[in-house]
Amino acid sequence: MSSTQFDGDIDSFVSYLKSNRGLSANTLKAYRADLTACLHLFELRGVTDLNEITLDDLRSWMAVESRDHARSSMARKTVAVRGFFAWAYEHGLTTTDPAATLMTPPIPSTLPAVLTESQAEQLLDVAEHAVATNQYKDDGGAAAASGSGKAAGKTADKSADTVHRSEAPARADKRDNARVTAESQRNAAILELLYATGIRVAELVSMDIADIDFSTRTIKVTGKGNKQRVVPFGLPAQRALETWLEQGRPVLARTATDAVKSRAANALFLGARGGRIDQRIARDIVHRAAREAGVPDISPHALRHSAATHILDGGADLREVQEMLGHSSLKTTQRYTHVSIEQLKNRYGQAFPRA
């Protein structure tokens, strides 16, 4: 990221947002990048003072940026720039607010991509089958290792050194099988929880073990702006989570160094090296599971869309779904009613002879 002479002002603005707006770390990072790129462009044009920037300059910046960015990205960039200049004016850094009338580009209304209920069921069934298959391999590996140990014990003319060497690969195979099984248990729990609750991937990876209440079958979720909500989950998700916590998590936790282990001691989901799982790995898990299940490729956010749509199809109240998803506006949740209507129209067209 290029630095500018305005970095100090950008730092102050981001600190203000963090303290007063409660925006997520990802949003703050995006705003910082947007502002740095914008002001770097003006710096290249010879601007040395924020007061030199006019509305026409900002419109020119938008024209340049819109060549390489989608409207949704431009909308975020515009909000960041508009917020920055409003803050600069309020804090006496500028004598006017050139961005006060800067318009956000209209974003075309698109319906979110979702799986059908049967496709979602297929996705979760394949993940569950992977757990069972890997557990079988793990048990077989243990039996094979045990068998080779007995055979070695019966062969009197073999030295102890030879026996130890023959057992080493078996132990290594057993560890590998245990790790693969643990990862499949983790993946199944992640998929079940994402679909059962509709939480965001950022919310998923930030969850701690203590955020789960098995007695009420609910999770405590910290969403955007550090707002907390309680979301219920069903029996399949409970079983997957219990299997992961009791069997899989201890296996991956053992692979961590002491430093990593201390940082991830409370984390619900772990990566292959025992640290808290990150968003990239969680996204990869969902994409890979979709490929293996033979369903349309989806992201964790599309799985969230699917959960919301299916819950509404099942008769849930719109306000309840809004609370579950952590939407600040009911308008955002209403998008899913349009998906339900579109699916109804498609089913009607396929099934009704006079459609």
Side-chain angles (χ1 to χ4, degrees):
M1 188 188 299
S2 302
S3 60
T4 76
Q5 63 182 346
F6 304 112
D7 281 354
D9 297 328
I10 295 173
D11 289 342
S12 298
F13 174 61
V14 171
S15 296
Y16 165 80
L17 291 179
K18 185 176 181 180
S19 301
N20 295 275
R21 296 278 301 280
L23 299 180
S24 71
N26 285 338
T27 301
L28 293 174
K29 183 179 179 181
Y31 278 18
R32 181 188 295 277
D34 295 338
L35 291 169
T36 300
C38 174
L39 295 178
H40 179 64
L41 175 65
F42 293 136
E43 193 174 54
L44 292 176
R45 293 177 177 178
V47 172
T48 58
D49 189 320
L50 291 175
N51 282 297
E52 298 175 35
I53 299 173
T54 66
L55 177 59
D56 286 340
D57 290 329
L58 292 173
R59 286 174 175 162
S60 172
W61 159 76
M62 286 185 68
V64 171
E65 288 288 306
S66 61
R67 296 173 192 163
D68 302 315
H69 295 91
R71 286 190 178 186
S72 56
S73 297
M74 286 307 303
R76 187 202 65 225
K77 292 174 182 291
T78 305
V79 168
V81 168
R82 203 163 52 203
F84 172 76
F85 280 100
W87 168 85
Y89 176 62
E90 290 172 4
H91 288 76
L93 274 67
T94 60
T95 55
T96 61
D97 179 1
T101 57
L102 190 66
M103 300 297 292
T104 304
I107 302 175
S109 179
T110 56
L111 297 179
V114 299
L115 297 178
T116 64
E117 291 185 37
S118 61
Q119 288 171 339
E121 194 75 25
Q122 184 176 339
L123 176 73
L124 300 174
D125 284 347
V126 169
E128 185 178 350
H129 178 70
V131 173
T133 302
N134 287 320
Q135 280 178 328
Y136 175 79
K137 289 179 181 177
D138 196 10
D139 292 341
S146 174
S148 68
K150 289 177 183 176
K154 291 178 181 178
T155 308
D157 60 345
K158 287 190 176 180
S159 68
D161 186 52
T162 303
V163 173
H164 289 316
R165 283 202 302 271
S166 67
E167 287 178 342
R171 286 197 298 269
D173 288 345
K174 186 177 179 182
R175 284 196 299 271
D176 287 343
N177 287 337
R179 179 184 56 77
V180 171
T181 299
E183 289 181 359
S184 66
Q185 290 166 339
R186 176 202 63 195
N187 298 351
I190 284 175
L191 291 165
E192 286 283 2
L193 194 61
L194 284 172
Y195 181 64
T197 61
I199 59 175
R200 303 174 179 94
V201 67
E203 296 167 343
L204 174 93
V205 301
S206 66
M207 283 185 62
D208 290 333
I209 298 172
D211 292 330
I212 304 176
D213 187 341
F214 285 111
S215 64
T216 59
R217 213 181 285 159
T218 57
I219 55 172
K220 182 176 68 176
V221 182
T222 302
K224 292 183 176 180
N226 286 326
K227 294 178 181 176
Q228 291 191 337
R229 65 188 189 278
V230 175
V231 182
F233 58 86
L235 188 58
Q238 178 182 343
R239 289 172 179 157
L241 284 167
E242 286 174 340
T243 299
W244 157 244
L245 289 173
E246 293 169 9
Q247 300 176 26
R249 191 183 185 282
V251 173
L252 296 189
R254 284 197 292 270
T255 66
T257 63
D258 289 341
V260 171
K261 194 175 293 186
S262 64
R263 290 196 300 271
N266 301 318
L268 175 58
F269 292 112
L270 303 179
R273 296 182 179 178
R276 184 183 291 274
I277 198 170
D278 62 32
Q279 292 189 41
R280 181 182 61 82
I281 298 299
R283 290 192 183 96
D284 286 346
I285 288 169
V286 176
H287 286 298
R288 188 168 64 249
R291 287 196 303 272
E292 292 172 354
V295 301
D297 184 31
I298 57 164
S299 65
H301 211 68
L303 202 52
R304 170 177 164 87
H305 293 325
S306 302
T309 303
H310 299 165
I311 291 168
L312 283 169
D313 285 344
D317 180 79
L318 198 61
R319 289 282 183 188
E320 294 170 344
V321 178
Q322 178 191 8
E323 175 66 24
M324 173 180 166
L325 297 179
H327 286 157
S328 57
S329 168
L330 189 63
K331 183 178 180 181
T332 307
T333 316
Q334 283 175 328
R335 296 175 67 205
Y336 300 111
T337 63
H338 300 313
V339 177
S340 297
I341 291 169
E342 285 299 312
Q343 290 184 344
L344 175 61
K345 285 163 65 178
N346 289 337
R347 288 196 294 267
Y348 181 86
Q350 293 169 1
F352 195 52
R354 298 177 66 84

